Amino acid sequence: MHALAHSIATLILCRHYKSASVRAAELVDLAEEKGSLYWKANGLIWQGCLSALTGRPLDAIEILTTAVAAYRSTAATIYMPFVSLHLARAHAELGNFTDAWHHIDDAIAGTERSQEKWAESEMHRTAGEIALMLPEADETKAEACFERSLTVARRQKAKSWELRTATSLARLWRDQGKRPAAHNLLASIYGWFTEGFDTLDLKQAKALLDELNT
């Protein structure tokens, strides 16, 4: 089951959500068959994250609230900062910004406690996206979050996270009329990649670069 759970995480990170959903359901079914609370909660957590990522925030909150409680009852902590940022995303989409910021803070604090830093850049990027979702978008805060995310990604040499954040920041700069800066930022990281051009992150980056070139 460990290999199955790991494959789900990988698929989510690559944004292959349909395949990840199939495998998450397989993990839940297998865990129920084996009577494993830990692995069932793990599978449900991935299903909740997928709901947050595919426009179903209410489902995400309902699934994750229950799954996280079960998961923590087994004394498990791995992946929890990553889960918290998806709860933040779901609450923000519903306009529950107090709860969204609470979960962002929880994700960042959890990262410091556990030293599980592989998704640290994405936490700051998500915080920036949430700042732009506020009734009165806070572009200053969003830009600071994106800059922090880029700093973390570069320090970790995490090119995929760097690309994702560069795309977010380039969109913001485009909307602010800073098209040359947006293009230069995104082109510098996009040009690093030599494969994976069929992935969603690279497709979105390419589409934005094409727009900025016009």
Side-chain angles (χ1 to χ4, degrees):
M1 284 188 277
H2 183 275
L4 180 56
H6 183 72
S7 72
I8 297 165
T10 301
L11 287 167
I12 289 175
L13 292 176
C14 294
R15 301 175 76 177
H16 297 316
Y17 299 144
K18 288 184 179 179
S19 296
S21 181
V22 170
R23 294 195 186 183
E26 289 176 0
L27 179 57
V28 171
D29 290 343
L30 182 58
E32 287 184 335
E33 180 183 326
K34 301 294 185 182
S36 172
L37 174 61
Y38 171 83
W39 287 114
K40 181 178 180 181
N42 187 285
L44 288 170
I45 278 173
W46 295 130
Q47 289 182 332
C49 290
L50 285 162
S51 294
L53 290 164
T54 54
R56 294 174 290 147
L58 282 172
D59 289 345
I61 293 167
E62 181 178 351
I63 294 168
L64 287 174
T65 299
T66 301
V68 166
Y71 192 66
R72 284 179 167 156
S73 75
T74 69
T77 60
I78 188 171
Y79 297 126
M80 289 312 303
F82 188 66
V83 172
S84 291
L85 74 87
H86 288 86
L87 274 166
R89 185 194 310 273
H91 278 290
E93 288 186 6
L94 294 172
N96 303 327
F97 293 105
T98 298
D99 290 330
W101 292 123
H102 165 76
H103 287 295
I104 287 292
D105 291 342
D106 189 53
I108 294 171
T111 293
E112 292 303 316
R113 285 193 306 269
S114 67
Q115 293 300 296
E116 184 184 336
K117 292 180 175 286
W118 61 273
E120 185 180 3
S121 175
E122 182 67 354
M123 294 171 199
H124 293 290
R125 190 190 75 85
T126 300
E129 295 288 356
I130 290 172
L132 294 175
M133 295 167 65
L134 293 167
E136 293 186 10
D138 189 338
E139 294 185 357
T140 300
K141 181 171 185 173
E143 185 168 1
C145 290
F146 293 150
E147 294 284 6
R148 175 61 179 160
S149 177
L150 284 176
T151 298
V152 172
R154 288 165 179 163
R155 184 179 69 239
Q156 295 178 343
K157 296 180 172 59
K159 290 295 185 180
S160 292
W161 291 136
E162 186 179 352
L163 176 70
R164 197 173 292 187
T165 301
T167 302
S168 291
L169 183 53
R171 287 195 190 103
L172 174 59
W173 283 351
R174 174 203 61 192
D175 295 343
Q176 293 175 333
K178 303 174 185 177
R179 295 175 70 89
H183 179 273
N184 292 340
L185 170 69
L186 190 53
S188 66
I189 177 61
Y190 182 85
W192 181 89
F193 290 86
T194 58
E195 58 184 357
F197 295 104
D198 60 337
T199 62
L200 185 56
D201 284 337
L202 280 163
K203 285 180 177 178
Q204 289 181 341
K206 179 62 164 58
L208 182 53
L209 276 173
D210 288 345
E211 177 188 342
L212 292 169
N213 275 325
T214 59

